[in-house]
Amino acid sequence: MSQHPMKEFYNETFYMAQKQLDAVAETMNLDAGVHERLRFPRKSLIVSVPIKLDNGITKLFMGYRVQHDQTLGPSKGGVRFHHDVQLGEVAALAMWMTWKCSLLNLPYGGAKGGVCCFPEEMSENELERLTRRYTTEILSMIGPEKDIPAPDMYTNEKMMAWMMDTYSNFIGYAVPGVVTGKPVSVGGTLGRVEATGRGVALTAELAVQKLGGFGDAPTVAVQGFGNVGSVTAKFLHQKGYKIVAVTDAKGGIYDPTGIDVPKLQAYVREHGSVEGYHPGDELDLKDIFELDVDILVPAAVANCITESNADRVKAKIVAEGANGPVTTEADRILDAKGVYVIPGILANAGGVVVSYFEWVQDIQHLFWSENEVTNKLTYLMTKAFDEVFHTALERKVSPRTAAMIIGVGRVAEAKKLRGLYP
Ligand code: GLU
């Protein structure tokens, strides 16, 4: 594939997403025209988001919304507030959302949004003003039939309620289906908050069952203790797995006898970090990737397992709770070592699956029980896991390549059938 002039997207993460697509395009003999269209997003918007800070000063933040593809339906994907947010990264995340939705058979394309800021240093009022002004700036791009945002890093259900309210005020009536991940009282669904972690835990368990030989209490290390990491740890702990290490942005703990996860969650609610938790030893943040455990769950930022540490990964299973935690070079190293990497587009798909259920309930004005949500989530994720597992065996490729073959394949087929307009 020749170099393309669209340099504005280039950053490490976007390059990695493109390389993954290029590799799978070759494996599956993807039509060159479809391949080239899928290498870049369909539509991208850069917005300036000015807000008044609590001290009276006006500050400008850069915001983005990228729609990678809308072949199978409206585009879908979260909004993150983080200091690393930039166009290329958002575009990469939007591309992964396309494959994730397609792999899980959801009638969506992929999108992503974000605002470059330090949310941990902002007050709740400032975050509300930022959320509302950002929503206003991207308003023309979103809508329940067009593009449906959701939570991602450092955004939560409160912010989704503000987004829904801002959009609804512009339209003139309540439009709950414009965002997902809302509180239940404004059209959210039961089971959404825990959905991503529940899915990560489920795919890790399925991998343990399929691969075999792990004994009664497989050991687990979890990097990141936000919504995804903490819920994954909670469910695996409930299933009798031994969580031996946890890190977050500030600190890490290691306890080979097993961490009491509900106790750790209570500690983090009080202290804001796992740092200082007892019992257990202090763990250096970068050492989590090299522990001798059965399962490693990277559930924080992208590009953590790279060619400089992949060789020292001892886990037999890596379940990507985050999006893009393993670089392309690291992926090759892990694959050669026989590590079973459950790709993010499968492992962390529980969030968008339950977002889809929320959207369906909003559109139908008919709400489901938590059991119904959880059973349907388990069904869809188990089915996708099995498809990936068997495709990987049949085609003798890694689970990531298998997941991409399925995800990209469905989009490509739909694109072919729809044809090129005009
Ligand atoms: N931000 C989540 C993800 O990366 C959820 C997206 C959604 O629910 O639309 O999958």
Side-chain angles (χ1 to χ4, degrees), residues 96-145:
W96 285 326
M97 284 307 300
T98 301
W99 317 141
K100 196 186 295 186
C101 292
S102 162
L103 175 62
L104 271 293
N105 251 324
L106 311 180
Y108 291 138
K112 202 74 161 204
V115 178
C116 182
C117 63
F118 284 89
E120 50 298 29
E121 291 168 12
M122 294 171 73
S123 73
E124 177 146 323
N125 283 330
E126 289 170 340
L127 288 170
E128 177 170 356
R129 289 196 286 275
L130 186 71
T131 306
R132 287 187 183 278
R133 183 62 191 253
Y134 168 70
T135 308
T136 308
E137 295 301 336
I138 64 159
L139 205 99
S140 61
M141 259 178 119
I142 61 173
E145 272 101 37

Side-chain angles (χ1 to χ4, degrees), residues 65 75-80 93 96-97 100-101 108 111-112 148-153 155 180-181 192 196 228 321-323 344 348-356:
R65 184 75 187 169
S75 45
K76 184 89 193 77
V79 171
R80 57 171 58 179
L93 292 159
W96 285 326
M97 284 307 300
K100 196 186 295 186
C101 292
Y108 291 138
K112 202 74 161 204
I148 306 123
D152 198 81
M153 267 167 70
T155 51
T180 58
R192 175 64 183 85
T196 310
V228 180
N323 290 310
N348 70 39
V352 72
V353 168
V354 176
S355 274
Y356 164 58

Side-chain angles (χ1 to χ4, degrees), residues 164-378:
M164 177 269 190
D165 182 69
T166 305
Y167 183 85
S168 299
N169 270 292
F170 271 87
I171 299 294
Y173 51 87
V175 189
V178 66
V179 291
T180 58
K182 302 178 296 296
V184 171
S185 45
V186 293
T189 181
L190 297 167
R192 175 64 183 85
V193 176
E194 296 196 316
T196 310
R198 192 186 281 278
V200 177
L202 173 67
T203 55
E205 275 179 74
L206 290 169
V208 163
Q209 282 164 22
K210 293 265 192 213
L211 302 174
F214 287 92
D216 291 341
T219 52
V220 186
V222 181
Q223 177 229 8
F225 208 65
N227 174 274
V228 180
S230 66
V231 175
T232 304
K234 180 185 116 172
F235 282 122
L236 288 176
H237 178 257
Q238 270 175 16
K239 290 279 162 122
Y241 286 47
K242 206 194 270 181
I243 317 299
V244 296
V246 172
T247 57
D248 63 20
K250 288 200 190 133
I253 47 162
Y254 175 68
D255 184 351
T257 65
I259 297 164
D260 183 331
V261 176
K263 246 176 144 173
L264 177 62
Q265 284 182 302
Y267 178 88
V268 172
R269 267 193 294 276
E270 199 181 319
H271 298 88
S273 165
V274 304
E275 196 181 25
Y277 176 84
H278 287 288
D281 299 328
E282 215 174 286
L283 180 70
D284 206 79
L285 298 193
K286 60 180 188 336
D287 292 344
I288 189 119
F289 304 109
E290 300 170 20
L291 292 176
D292 192 1
V293 289
D294 294 316
I295 304 165
L296 171 63
V297 182
V301 289
N303 304 320
C304 298
I305 303 176
T306 66
E307 58 188 329
S308 62
N309 63 358
D311 228 6
R312 296 190 297 277
V313 169
K314 295 184 194 73
K316 295 167 200 76
I317 295 170
V318 172
E320 292 187 340
N323 290 310
V326 178
T327 66
T328 318
E329 296 75 27
D331 219 18
R332 263 194 292 271
I333 298 170
L334 295 183
D335 199 36
K337 277 163 63 108
V339 180
Y340 196 84
V341 180
I342 311 169
I345 59 169
L346 173 63
N348 70 39
V352 72
V353 168
V354 176
S355 274
Y356 164 58
F357 297 156
E358 178 174 335
W359 178 76
V360 167
Q361 293 170 72
D362 285 339
I363 289 170
Q364 299 189 339
H365 308 286
L366 182 69
F367 289 87
W368 309 349
S369 69
E370 186 156 1
N371 259 346
E372 214 171 332
V373 170
T374 308
N375 291 343
K376 285 190 159 81
L377 169 67
T378 305

Side-chain angles (χ1 to χ4, degrees), residues 14-45:
F14 185 69
Y15 196 46
M16 166 173 150
Q18 274 197 333
K19 275 196 284 187
Q20 288 173 355
L21 174 64
D22 295 346
V24 86
E26 207 176 295
T27 313
M28 63 193 283
N29 238 328
L30 186 65
D31 174 271
V34 170
H35 177 196
E36 182 149 43
R37 285 163 70 194
L38 291 172
R39 295 184 88 230
F40 292 96
R42 177 191 171 123
K43 198 186 268 188
S44 314
L45 184 67

